[in-house]
Amino acid sequence: MRQLPVVLWLIIMLVGSGAAMAETPQSAEADWVQTRADARGQTVYWNAWGGDSRTNRFIEWVGEQTEQRFGVAIRHVKLSDTSDAVTRVVTEKAAGRDESGSVDLLWINGPNFLSMKEQDLLHGPFVRELPNSRYLDLSPGSASTTDFTVPTEGFESPWRLARFVFNYDSARVEDPPRSMPALLDWARAHPGRFTHPHPDNFMGATFLKQALVELTPDPTVLQRPVAEADFEAATDPLWSWYDRIRPHLWRSGRTFPANESEQQQLLNDGAVDIGMSFDPASTAAAIQQGLLPESARVIVPAGGSIGNVSFVAIPYNARHTAGAKVVANFLLSPRAQARMQDIDVLGAFSVLDFDRLDETARARFESLPDAPALPSREALGQTLPEPHPSWMTRLVEAWSQRYTR
């Protein structure tokens, strides 16, 4: 074999050395400096659900901070359904608009993340580029790396925790049920005093998933895409339980509140005694806003409850990718996370791994105000994994076939 010229060997060694340098902390820092420089002056179109005034105000505050600190403004595009923004990206791709898309940053949920990931509609992976990702547990299988059982692989960045909880009026309920079988017994003893949002709504579907996870004989089946062979055996206990509780629901289970807000209104009006939420802090926040009585409290199912992390993602054709990364990084800062967890601001629980915080960062959280209806992180107990997204779709279809015909 003919020997390579010395000059060529030197070139190969230099290239190899450069590749190794690209993985060094110094190089990563330089890359981030460049990202911040590219981002300055950009306006990030953050498409996010706009149905909660406290969340909207927090996003407004984030925009004020990123503009002041990094020269990056935020335009909050308020969505009623995340799929609206996903559809826009799909339409842009079909039209060949592979650059300068209309969505820069997207507050995304599990089913829509899976859909965009499968269609190669996401920018990334980018999470490990964010300096503040050092505060996250990014080990495989952790909550920050899994969305509805789907590995995120760095294509979306976490920003707040979500957990299923019940809420109730302690002035009317002394000993609230803490499991689905106990809820059935309670509903029998208190007919018409409990209901759930319609399963067409996210909250209603989440209630069915919580019941399924508790009642199914083998919850591990729920971690893979649904198969007809598994569906019947997995859901039989759920439908048996639901057949028995349905006659005791509000209005005999013939009509349901459209969403969590309508159910909360029923609880506030005294029409029902128990409600539910996917935000453990929402009850304390609603009390502050006068939307629930001072006696409202939160209860977590004894065996744990399903939970997940809320993520932001960057579409593949975002116009302002650098700005979107700056915003995602700021959302992970202890400053932003502590403000978000402040019950006087938003009350959403932080995604940060507290073992990775220094004393100054921890102090931000330790000084936060408390509230009687705000559970501690310890009181939330075990987090049960969400079923694969395909289970929610199949579950809602089956519920509709069984109970709306």
Side-chain angles (χ1 to χ4, degrees):
M1 186 175 67
R2 193 176 65 178
Q3 287 189 332
L4 292 173
V6 174
V7 174
L8 183 56
W9 275 115
L10 286 173
I11 292 173
I12 292 173
M13 292 178 66
L14 285 172
V15 170
S17 174
M21 288 178 63
E23 298 174 1
T24 65
Q26 293 80 4
S27 180
E29 184 177 346
D31 289 345
W32 185 249
V33 169
Q34 184 60 53
T35 298
R36 282 182 50 176
D38 294 342
R40 184 165 291 279
Q42 293 185 348
T43 296
V44 173
Y45 284 72
W46 184 0
N47 286 243
W49 179 61
D52 177 60
S53 59
R54 287 163 64 96
T55 299
N56 295 344
R57 286 196 294 273
F58 176 72
I59 291 176
E60 184 179 347
W61 174 82
V62 171
E64 292 168 355
Q65 294 295 309
T66 55
E67 185 160 22
Q68 178 184 343
R69 296 169 182 272
F70 313 111
V72 177
I74 290 176
R75 181 77 57 84
H76 181 186
V77 181
K78 296 175 182 173
L79 303 174
S80 58
D81 192 323
T82 304
S83 62
D84 294 343
V86 177
T87 300
R88 243 182 297 139
V89 177
V90 170
T91 302
E92 289 170 357
K93 183 173 185 179
R97 188 176 171 184
D98 295 327
E99 297 178 345
S100 301
S102 61
V103 181
D104 291 321
L105 191 66
L106 176 61
W107 178 7
I108 195 168
N109 56 24
N112 282 305
F113 170 69
L114 177 62
S115 173
M116 294 188 75
K117 188 181 180 189
E118 289 180 338
Q119 298 179 72
D120 295 325
L121 295 175
L122 296 171
H123 169 81
F126 69 94
V127 173
R128 289 190 183 275
E129 296 176 28
L130 310 179
N132 288 332
S133 67
R134 66 184 184 275
Y135 299 126
L136 297 171
D137 176 5
L138 294 177
S139 59
S142 68
S144 291
T145 61
T146 309
D147 194 356
F148 277 58
T149 74
V150 178
T152 61
E153 298 176 336
F155 283 89
E156 56 179 1
S157 178
W159 72 294
R160 58 190 283 182
L161 281 180
R163 282 287 301 274
F164 177 87
V165 295
F166 288 107
N167 55 7
Y168 68 102
D169 189 340
S170 63
R172 302 195 296 267
V173 181
E174 290 187 4
D175 187 17
R178 298 194 62 195
S179 70
M180 292 301 168
L183 180 61
L184 171 59
D185 293 339
W186 186 91
R188 283 171 168 158
H190 305 85
R193 304 301 296 172
F194 172 73
T195 187
H196 59 81
H198 195 285
D200 280 348
N201 174 262
F202 169 79
M203 193 67 247
T206 300
F207 170 69
L208 291 183
K209 287 191 295 181
Q210 173 69 29
L212 175 64
V213 171
E214 280 195 43
L215 299 171
T216 196
D218 180 13
T220 62
V221 172
L222 309 178
Q223 297 304 297
R224 55 179 185 255
V226 63
E228 284 306 312
D230 297 329
F231 188 75
E232 184 174 347
T235 58
D236 268 354
L238 168 67
W239 303 131
S240 174
W241 173 85
Y242 196 87
D243 287 343
R244 284 177 285 160
I245 197 174
R246 186 187 178 205
H248 308 293
L249 298 181
W250 177 71
R251 296 186 176 176
S252 302
R254 291 190 296 270
T255 186
F256 299 88
N259 50 44
E260 182 182 343
S261 297
E262 287 192 9
Q263 174 153 31
Q264 180 176 276
Q265 186 64 53
L266 292 176
L267 182 60
N268 192 45
D269 292 345
V272 299
D273 296 328
I274 298 177
M276 63 193 66
S277 175
F278 208 47
D279 178 358
S282 66
T283 300
I287 292 172
Q288 285 190 348
Q289 295 172 296
L291 301 176
L292 283 176
E294 293 283 345
S295 50
R297 295 290 183 270
V298 168
I299 186 166
V300 183
S305 65
I306 59 175
N308 62 35
V309 167
S310 291
F311 293 89
V312 290
I314 303 172
Y316 83 105
N317 63 342
R319 182 192 297 266
H320 302 123
T321 301
K325 289 179 182 177
V326 167
V327 173
N329 185 59
F330 179 73
L331 286 170
L332 293 176
S333 66
R335 174 187 295 274
Q337 289 282 308
R339 183 175 176 85
M340 183 182 70
Q341 192 168 310
D342 187 339
I343 190 59
D344 293 334
V345 177
L346 180 55
F349 282 82
S350 170
V351 295
L352 303 186
D353 180 351
F354 281 28
D355 289 340
R356 299 168 190 265
L357 301 182
D358 59 26
E359 287 188 12
T360 301
R362 289 186 189 186
R364 290 182 185 274
F365 291 91
E366 291 167 356
S367 64
L368 292 176
D370 200 359
L374 183 66
S376 65
R377 294 175 71 95
E378 293 74 21
L380 292 178
Q382 182 184 3
T383 301
L384 304 178
E386 284 265 15
H388 186 274
S390 56
W391 282 90
M392 187 168 84
T393 304
R394 188 70 182 87
L395 202 59
V396 172
E397 289 174 352
W399 183 91
S400 180
Q401 290 168 355
R402 294 177 67 96
Y403 302 111
T404 61
R405 295 181 178 177

